[in-house]
Amino acid sequence: MAFGSRAAGKHRGSSRLSRKTAGYAGIAALATTGVVGTLAVPAFAADKAAAPSMEDTGLGAVVVADELHSEIEYQAESQQRAAEVTAAKAQAEADAKTRAAEAKRLAEAKAKAERDAAERAAREEERKRLNTFVAPIDGSYVSTQYKAGGSMWSSGSHTGIDFHAGEGTTVHAVGAGTIVEAGWGGAYGNNVVIRHNDGTYTQYGHLLSLSVSVGDQVTAGQQIGISGSTGNASGPHLHFEARTGATYGTDIDPVAYLRSHGVNV
Ligand SMILES: [Zn+2]
């Protein structure tokens, strides 16, 4: 007898019975093939006590087999649902991992952008610091122009500019650089020469005293000494030169030099 001829529908409600009979591997095998006609009735004898209402008839076997089939379907559905739940859980976990990875990536990108911005700001600050120039004497003015003529100068004309300054006035490095000369300079008296980072030089003469030594690194505005009238000077002031080299005779227009470095002279 095939399932097609069975009298009853599915009997999931009485699955307790089926569960008891599930131990019968032979029945399960028959049920899945749909052939129950050859089922031996005595096979259910052991189950009679638990299911006294079941008659040991062919129809009873069909009902039991049908119950078993329903149970197998039910179990298959349960397994399918469990598999779906497991798959959904795995997908949710994968999604959470993806979101976490994306959040981590964004956080790292943000941190990197912040680091880059800080580095750029630091570089810009350093560039500014290295390129900033200031006047050598605060609040002063040029009292003698560049190339001014006169018998005072060995070359016949002024190789720098003089800044008005009383004795003991602070003299600043006009820009960052390295001290290449600090000491007695003949007609210049006590003088300082700085090699700047752009390869140009500045010189400061007639100083009363120095506060730097050869090899020192200086920054723009740093004190290098105080003004005086040492050397060939008619009175206290600062003699200032801009040069293309460290030595006398390489002078260039100091006013144009300072202005080209943003100093208002
Ligand atoms: Zn001078």
Side-chain angles (χ1 to χ4, degrees):
M1 188 188 290
F3 277 144
S5 65
R6 68 193 172 191
K10 296 191 177 185
H11 298 275
R12 190 160 292 154
S14 56
S15 62
R16 208 175 292 121
L17 171 66
S18 304
R19 218 167 275 129
K20 282 185 179 296
T21 59
Y24 297 102
I27 294 168
L30 287 168
T32 53
T33 58
V35 179
V36 292
T38 58
L39 183 64
V41 171
F44 290 90
D47 203 41
K48 279 177 77 176
S53 62
M54 294 297 293
E55 296 299 324
D56 289 346
T57 64
L59 180 59
V62 169
V63 170
V64 170
D66 190 35
E67 291 290 340
L68 183 58
H69 183 256
S70 294
E71 176 64 13
I72 289 166
E73 277 188 352
Y74 176 70
Q75 286 179 352
E77 283 167 19
S78 294
Q79 283 167 3
Q80 174 64 24
R81 277 194 296 278
E84 283 167 6
V85 167
T86 302
K89 199 177 161 202
Q91 184 61 49
E93 281 171 2
D95 289 350
K97 269 186 190 167
T98 302
R99 281 194 299 275
E102 177 66 6
K104 186 167 180 255
R105 194 188 66 72
L106 286 174
E108 283 171 356
K110 187 170 175 243
K112 185 180 185 305
E114 283 169 358
R115 277 198 308 276
D116 289 351
E119 277 172 23
R120 273 197 303 279
R123 276 198 300 276
E124 176 61 15
E125 190 59 34
E126 179 66 2
R127 194 189 65 76
K128 258 191 196 165
R129 195 179 69 78
L130 293 176
N131 293 327
T132 296
F133 274 64
V134 300
I137 302 280
D138 289 339
S140 184
Y141 58 89
V142 176
S143 53
T144 308
Q145 297 297 328
Y146 181 55
K147 299 288 186 192
S151 58
M152 246 189 106
W153 299 295
S154 58
S155 65
S157 75
H158 201 197
T159 50
I161 51 177
D162 292 343
F163 281 95
H164 173 80
E167 189 163 291
T169 305
T170 298
V171 176
H172 306 282
V174 294
T178 306
I179 304 298
V180 295
E181 187 179 328
W184 190 254
Y188 291 119
N190 292 317
N191 85 136
V192 169
V193 177
I194 300 172
R195 183 187 192 278
H196 296 288
N197 299 320
D198 63 359
T200 60
Y201 295 77
T202 53
Q203 186 246 2
Y204 312 75
H206 310 308
L207 302 177
L208 178 63
S209 65
L210 312 180
S211 47
V212 290
S213 304
V214 170
D216 287 355
Q217 300 287 320
V218 292
T219 56
Q222 184 176 328
Q223 181 173 340
I224 56 172
I226 53 173
S227 63
S229 54
T230 57
N232 188 9
S234 56
H237 69 276
L238 173 70
H239 174 85
F240 173 82
E241 292 189 16
R243 298 173 175 176
T244 57
T247 55
Y248 173 83
T250 57
D251 55 279
I252 53 176
D253 182 350
V255 170
Y257 174 85
L258 289 175
R259 285 179 179 164
S260 76
H261 285 85
V263 180
N264 189 19
V265 202

